[in-house]
Amino acid sequence: ASEAATPHVLAFFASEGFAEVFRDCCPEAAKLSPRALLESLRAEVRAAEYAHAFPVATHAAHAGGHHFNVKLGEEYKFLLNSYQAAVDYDATNHSGPSPAPPPRPKNFTDPGPLAEEQIFGLPPFANESKPTWAEASDRMNYVAQNMRRLNFGSVPMFGDATFIFDNDYIKDMILTAPLDTGLWEMVCNHSYVGFTPPYKFNCPAWPRPQTLGTWDHFDHTILTNLDVWRLKLNGSRTSIYEEARKFFERSPFGGDYSTLPNVTSFDVAKYWETNIAGNVRFPEGVRFLIGSFVPLFGTQDGRTLQTFAQTFGWPLVWAFTEFMEVQNPSSASAALNQSYVLNERAVDPTMEGSVALNATFPADAKASFNALWASVEEHRVNATNGQWIEWWKTLSGSQVRVAPSTASSCGGSQLCIGSELKSGTCICKMKGHAGQASAAVGVDP
């Protein structure tokens, strides 16, 4: 499928409609031939961040169901998928048989398992409401590919912290869909009873049988992702060229990270879903962690995330998500128009994994960080949005600020967590600090 799609991608890159928007958003990259652009895009896709958001504590989850959290990570020393987390919860919290699940509406089908079985070809559970550990272990971890260089890496609704994986570790486990498959099930397959989508995808862009991509073969994903997000608004669909502009202007082809254009709530959701068919072991499968500034900074959950990073020797960076985690647009129109910059990251100087980087921290970096933490801890309960913005300015102004690493900036090195915002210097792990030895995986619950 990927090879068959290549001529279509090249023809699209050679089209006048694409050339017009590409010259506008990415003038330097617009000088590339279609073939050179495709080769560069492939390199950037493989160098991009692959991100999984998770709640630090169970109570912090914004999405329904069971989720991986720090407590599970410290116990098992690998990334559990949501079904494994549910089995662990059941074994931990019920001495006897689990209570019967609540009745579901007639014809109810959970879009997650349905996508996993129909699109990814995974075997169904014998009892969908109570999978076994063995059945749960056949499922995937959901991952967002961060070509739009969002500072949180993923979507804040999925948690208040994010894993950024080691690409060399996960590349042979990647299965790529051109969009969030749960959304596709709900909007295109209408599998979620009672759900009325506020928008309509261009569903025929990804016809049955849906073809997935891999690390090496994904050309067929490129145009499908752009085409499927041509939403039907006011009786007509948006242009694929406009979708291309939105994609490329936030990508490494769009230039300076500090001056990226805003993204909307919809734009944030337009990631390639690059799921990991396996359990990522700690520490070696993870490059670094991201903490969401407003929910975590100055809290006990924030300390828990720091301890988690310390335990496995990972660098930790903080991201300001501009209150996105607490904003819920009331309509499709509001979601289209609510925009965010999402290009602010600062390295936590108190972590051993951060100190092991080649970054040059200000002499008072730790003192400034700790003083701000104490101030936020004392005053965060009644803090206004304006106060949070000022606190973020204090943090980012006194710490090392980083942009996501790219193929063009850091060569896709998995030792690097990004490039220093002003100088462009790659911020990477120094020799002798590549992480701790792997610990054994936990036993079945």
Side-chain angles (χ1 to χ4, degrees), residues 286-347:
V286 175
R287 258 196 295 166
F288 64 98
L289 301 180
I290 301 174
S292 185
F293 181 67
V294 175
L296 294 177
F297 201 87
T299 70
Q300 185 54 51
D301 283 351
R303 290 296 189 203
T304 299
L305 182 64
Q306 289 181 314
T307 300
F308 190 42
Q310 288 283 64
T311 298
F312 293 103
W314 295 318
L316 172 63
V317 305
W318 294 93
F320 182 46
T321 57
E322 303 165 53
F323 319 107
M324 189 177 187
E325 59 275 355
V326 297
Q327 295 183 9
N328 185 22
S330 58
S331 66
S333 176
L336 280 169
N337 295 317
Q338 183 73 53
S339 67
Y340 309 88
V341 181
L342 301 182
N343 66 346
E344 292 276 353
R345 284 181 179 176
V347 180

Side-chain angles (χ1 to χ4, degrees), residues 116-127:
E116 292 159 7
E117 293 158 19
Q118 294 196 2
I119 297 176
F120 292 90
L122 301 179
F125 298 135
N127 179 351

Side-chain angles (χ1 to χ4, degrees), residues 373-390:
W373 186 284
S375 179
V376 172
E377 186 174 27
E378 181 179 357
H379 300 290
R380 60 174 287 121
V381 173
N382 297 313
T384 63
N385 285 2
Q387 179 62 72
W388 279 109
I389 291 170
E390 290 304 311

